[in-house]
Amino acid sequence: MAKASPVTRNDVAEYAGVSSAVVSYVVNDGPRRVAPETRERVLEAIRVLGYRPNATARALRMGTTQTFGLIVPDSGNPLYAELARAIEKEASARGYVVLQTNAGGDPTVERTKIAELVARRVSAIILATPTEEPELSETDVPVIALNRPVTGATSLIPEYREGARIGVEHLIGHGHERVGLVMGLDLTGWRPERELGWRDALEQAGLPEGPIARGTFTRQGGYEAGRRLLKADRPPAVFVSSDLQAVGVLRALHEARLDVPGDVAVLSFDGTAESEFSWPPLSVIRQPIERIAKDTVARLVDGQTGIEQVTYPTELILRRSCGCGEG
Amino acid sequence: MAKASPVTRNDVAEYAGVSSAVVSYVVNDGPRRVAPETRERVLEAIRVLGYRPNATARALRMGTTQTFGLIVPDSGNPLYAELARAIEKEASARGYVVLQTNAGGDPTVERTKIAELVARRVSAIILATPTEEPELSETDVPVIALNRPVTGATSLIPEYREGARIGVEHLIGHGHERVGLVMGLDLTGWRPERELGWRDALEQAGLPEGPIARGTFTRQGGYEAGRRLLKADRPPAVFVSSDLQAVGVLRALHEARLDVPGDVAVLSFDGTAESEFSWPPLSVIRQPIERIAKDTVARLVDGQTGIEQVTYPTELILRRSCGCGEG
DNA sequence: TTGAAAGCGATACCAA
DNA sequence: TTGGTATCGCTTTCAA
């Protein structure tokens, strides 16, 4: 049995009776031409010895690792899991690989992770964390930020505000004169975009601002916020800032034996797979995760690292929870 | 502003007026002692120049990348997302980083991914895919397989069969004389472990085998299987082989206006976070994901790569869907 | 305590 | 068309 790791290009060269340079030419299809016959001998040697080029050495020599570093708050969160999945898919198709790390919402950890990725010479860093301005100054690794603007980096951002506005507008269209809001804790000064969209729709319809309940960006956080919202002055409709929280809100509603959408209509932001199979299925404002993932990788691979800010329209998906759908 | 990438150890040496060896001694705290004063000069130089050791060069020289390669079928699947999260957490705590890839359930892709990881000289491969025996022979990279036995590798496996048996036994304990089964498609000859556990419990209680419906390991697959199960001879209880499918089954039940657990009791295998917030909350057999992740990383880091097979007991978590819980 | 230098494995230029 | 070789940045042995 051929052992892979220890077999070097020199072993191959020796076996094939050529110089190591020729092996390179064959493996990389260049930069020099190789006589067909020699080429065959080399390929044969590679096969027999089970040679695999050492990507580490290659990276050192070439100065590029063909690797993306991805930082998310929590890859256990379906939204980020789906994002990571989409990015890995695109990256893989282009010969890149992704180093995935979790910052856990802690700016200090985030800084550490960035440093780690830089030390490992990733080709680029994809930042999908919602924390404050990261330290990028000491680095010349390309950075693309998702979900929020970051100075000194390209940012690809869903239209949070407009998406939220459209969603709330839809709820209002169902005839609800009050629309509550379940919102994530405001840590960044950026996430309130969704809250602003909610306000926009209300104002535009001449409606008063419904009750607001805040909680962490988790199912549990949504559950607790939902309970608080019910205890107070229950609104006939609620806009929730994330699917995860919405799932928690649904639970609170079910426990209170309230009908959705009959007693309370619900619509949330994100559009993860989980939202489609909650009960009732959630109407959502869907983030174009795949498109963003695709563009992110394309920009990075093609070296379009000019600093700019690009926004992505969201999509309103109507299911049962808002009063639409087959129910 | 200091540019990080191009700053090498030689730049630091020059700036500090020492040899590059000394910089190494300082950075690595060894293998030679350095005079305190010299040390200070070097640290100062590092600070001023913004030097970051090139992990690529280090890996080449040391022969280890301090990187784990993780292969899962689909990191968008919450079960694998949670597993990946747990592994990343443990790995990170020990200075490792994880390269995460998706095989998408395709053995060919899986082979490609393994080759890619080997080429990149990962320190070890963690295989969490359910496909057939992978090609590991050409490699001397340590491999740990999760979820199934793999010849030539250490395997850490939850007690699928016994866990399923305990779960079904619990359903039977609720007085149900028939327990249906929603099972994943049998692709591997290994996953039916859960099906065997279901049979064990039935046999042990002297009950006939209830109806079986099979579908993909997805929410949609569970939904479709659930519908089929209802059309036929509806059982009063169902054991579902994964949370994801169970969520689909719940949807089918809701659409049929059946009460859970009143009309049909449900219990599933996995215990992902999603199961806790479905409606009603799912009773589950929980896989000890964190323990497995922790042991996996510990074994790899400590070099316990002896080939063995370790099993992990599961945990029965009772919630509302089986008839327990506060409802 | 510090420096010089030999590699780790691959790339690609310059000669031949 | 092919070979020799400098180089990428770092670790570590051996001398000084």
Side-chain angles (χ1 to χ4, degrees), chain A residues 265-308:
Chain A
V266 178
L267 188 145
S268 65
F269 202 104
D270 280 350
T272 55
E274 186 173 349
S275 70
E276 192 179 343
F277 282 85
S278 61
W279 189 256
L282 283 166
S283 290
V284 297
I285 300 296
R286 178 164 168 69
Q287 299 194 34
I289 287 183
E290 287 78 13
R291 270 192 62 202
I292 291 180
K294 186 161 196 156
D295 286 3
T296 298
V297 172
R299 275 167 185 271
L300 259 16
V301 172
D302 303 343
Q304 301 170 32
T305 314
I307 294 168
E308 61 181 307

Side-chain angles (χ1 to χ4, degrees), chain A residues 5 53 77 141 155 182 213 245-246:
Chain A
S5 298
N77 177 326
V141 173
S155 302
V182 169
Q245 292 173 301

Side-chain angles (χ1 to χ4, degrees), chain A residues 207-222:
Chain A
L207 297 178
E209 289 188 4
I212 300 182
R214 297 181 196 280
T216 57
F217 265 115
T218 62
R219 298 182 183 86
Q220 184 67 30

Side-chain angles (χ1 to χ4, degrees), chain B residues 58-304:
Chain B
R58 181 165 216 276
L60 175 58
R61 174 65 222 239
M62 303 287 278
T64 166
T65 54
Q66 304 278 98
T67 300
F68 294 133
L70 172 63
I71 307 183
V72 298
D74 173 15
S75 59
N77 178 325
L79 177 63
Y80 296 111
E82 289 179 19
L83 176 65
R85 172 68 173 111
I87 287 174
E88 196 271 335
K89 187 177 172 188
E90 294 297 328
S92 168
R94 287 160 164 279
Y96 280 69
V97 102
V98 7
L99 266 177
Q100 191 174 320
T101 65
N102 292 87
D106 182 338
T108 307
V109 174
E110 180 172 341
R111 258 190 298 278
T112 310
K113 299 289 188 173
I114 291 178
E116 168 92 43
L117 294 176
V118 169
R120 286 176 185 263
R121 300 299 192 268
V122 293
S123 304
I125 292 179
I126 301 169
L127 211 50
T129 54
T131 40
E132 284 303 331
E133 282 293 310
E135 296 287 338
L136 299 174
S137 51
E138 303 291 314
T139 283
D140 58 356
V141 173
V143 172
I144 284 196
L146 307 185
N147 310 338
R148 59 160 170 170
V150 162
T151 60
T154 295
S155 301
L156 308 188
I157 312 178
E159 290 175 348
Y160 290 123
R161 182 167 182 169
E162 176 63 1
R165 192 193 64 72
I166 291 172
V168 174
E169 187 175 67
H170 179 82
L171 285 174
I172 294 172
H174 271 290
H176 304 299
E177 307 217 320
R178 282 169 61 239
V179 180
L181 174 69
V182 169
M183 187 66 203
L185 268 11
D186 174 13
L187 300 174
T188 71
W190 175 250
R191 289 195 293 199
E193 288 283 299
R194 281 167 264 195
E195 182 168 341
L196 296 176
W198 168 73
R199 290 215 155 80
D200 290 345
L202 256 24
E203 191 171 315
Q204 174 182 300
L207 296 178
E209 288 188 4
I212 301 183
R214 297 182 196 280
T216 57
F217 266 116
T218 60
R219 299 181 183 87
Q220 183 67 27
Y223 173 64
E224 290 164 6
R227 287 177 59 126
R228 264 179 274 124
L229 208 63
L230 297 184
K231 263 195 203 141
D233 184 20
R234 191 183 86 222
V238 184
F239 172 65
V240 189
S241 68
S242 71
D243 287 351
L244 226 48
Q245 292 173 302
V247 162
V249 169
L250 286 182
R251 180 184 183 163
L253 258 18
H254 283 129
E255 286 184 359
R257 309 212 173 280
L258 257 19
D259 181 62
V260 180
D263 297 318
V264 181
V266 178
L267 188 145
S268 65
F269 202 103
D270 280 349
T272 54
E274 185 172 349
S275 70
E276 192 179 342
F277 281 85
S278 62
W279 188 258
L282 283 165
S283 291
V284 295
I285 301 294
R286 178 165 169 68
Q287 297 194 36
I289 287 184
E290 287 78 13
R291 269 193 62 202
I292 292 179
K294 186 162 196 156
D295 286 3
T296 298
V297 172
R299 275 169 185 269
L300 259 17
V301 172
D302 303 343
Q304 301 170 34

Side-chain angles (χ1 to χ4, degrees), chain A residues 6 18 73 78 125 130 140 142 154 170 179 198 202 230-231 237-238 279 289 292 309:
Chain A
V18 299
I125 291 179
D140 59 357
T154 294
H170 179 82
V179 180
W198 168 74
L202 256 23
L230 297 184
K231 265 197 204 139
V238 183
W279 189 256
I289 287 183
I292 291 180
Q309 193 168 313

Side-chain angles (χ1 to χ4, degrees), chain A:
Chain A
M1 168 184 353
K3 280 192 136 200
S5 298
V7 178
T8 77
R9 199 209 38 192
N10 279 320
D11 299 330
V12 175
E14 191 174 349
Y15 185 98
V18 299
S19 83
S20 62
V22 175
V23 179
S24 257
Y25 301 155
V26 171
V27 170
N28 306 324
D29 252 334
R32 296 272 166 287
R33 289 185 50 78
V34 174
E37 185 201 328
T38 313
R39 178 190 180 72
E40 245 345 293
R41 277 218 315 287
V42 172
L43 289 175
E44 171 66 10
I46 289 177
R47 216 172 297 127
V48 172
L49 301 177
Y51 168 68
R52 296 198 171 292
N54 183 327
T56 296
R58 184 166 213 277
L60 174 58
R61 177 61 225 234
M62 304 287 278
T64 166
T65 53
Q66 303 277 101
T67 300
F68 294 134
L70 171 64
I71 308 184
V72 298
D74 173 15
S75 60
N77 177 326
L79 177 64
Y80 296 111
E82 289 178 20
L83 176 66
R85 173 68 173 108
I87 288 174
E88 196 273 333
K89 187 176 172 189
E90 293 299 327
S92 169
R94 287 161 164 278
Y96 281 69
V97 102
V98 6
L99 268 177
Q100 192 174 317
T101 64
N102 292 87
D106 182 338
T108 307
V109 173
E110 181 172 341
R111 256 190 298 277
T112 310
K113 300 287 188 174
I114 291 178
E116 168 92 44
L117 294 175
V118 170
R120 287 175 184 264
R121 299 301 192 266
V122 293
S123 304
I125 291 179
I126 301 169
L127 212 50
T129 53
T131 39
E132 283 302 334
E133 282 291 310
E135 295 287 337
L136 299 174
S137 50
E138 303 293 313
T139 282
D140 59 357
V141 173
V143 173
I144 284 195
L146 307 185
N147 308 341
R148 60 163 168 167
V150 161
T151 58
T154 294
S155 302
L156 309 187
I157 311 177
E159 291 176 348
Y160 290 122
R161 183 167 180 169
E162 176 63 3
R165 192 194 64 74
I166 291 172
V168 174
E169 186 175 66
H170 179 82
L171 285 174
I172 294 172
H174 273 288
H176 304 300
E177 307 218 319
R178 281 169 60 237
V179 180
L181 173 69
V182 169
M183 187 66 203
L185 268 9
D186 173 12
L187 301 173
T188 71
W190 174 251
R191 290 195 291 199
E193 287 284 299
R194 281 168 263 195
E195 182 168 339
L196 295 177
W198 168 74
R199 289 215 156 83
D200 290 344
L202 256 23
E203 188 172 318
Q204 173 183 301
L207 297 178
E209 289 188 4
I212 300 182
R214 297 181 196 280
T216 57
F217 265 115
T218 62
R219 298 182 183 86
Q220 184 67 30
Y223 174 64
E224 291 164 6
R227 287 178 58 127
R228 260 178 278 124
L229 208 61
L230 297 184
K231 265 197 204 139
D233 184 20
R234 191 182 87 222
V238 183
F239 172 64
V240 188
S241 68
S242 72
D243 287 351
L244 226 49
Q245 292 173 301
V247 161
V249 168
L250 286 181
R251 178 182 187 164
L253 256 19
H254 283 129
E255 286 185 359
R257 310 210 172 280
L258 256 18
D259 181 61
V260 179
D263 296 319
V264 181
V266 178
L267 188 145
S268 65
F269 202 104
D270 280 350
T272 55
E274 186 173 349
S275 70
E276 192 179 343
F277 282 85
S278 61
W279 189 256
L282 283 166
S283 290
V284 297
I285 300 296
R286 178 164 168 69
Q287 299 194 34
I289 287 183
E290 287 78 13
R291 270 192 62 202
I292 291 180
K294 186 161 196 156
D295 286 3
T296 298
V297 172
R299 275 167 185 271
L300 259 16
V301 172
D302 303 343
Q304 301 170 32
T305 314
I307 294 168
E308 61 181 307
Q309 193 168 313
V310 186
T311 60
Y312 290 79
T314 56
E315 185 188 357
L316 177 62
I317 297 181
L318 270 9
R319 293 196 280 243
R320 205 169 293 186
S321 71
C322 71
C324 293
E326 344 72 88

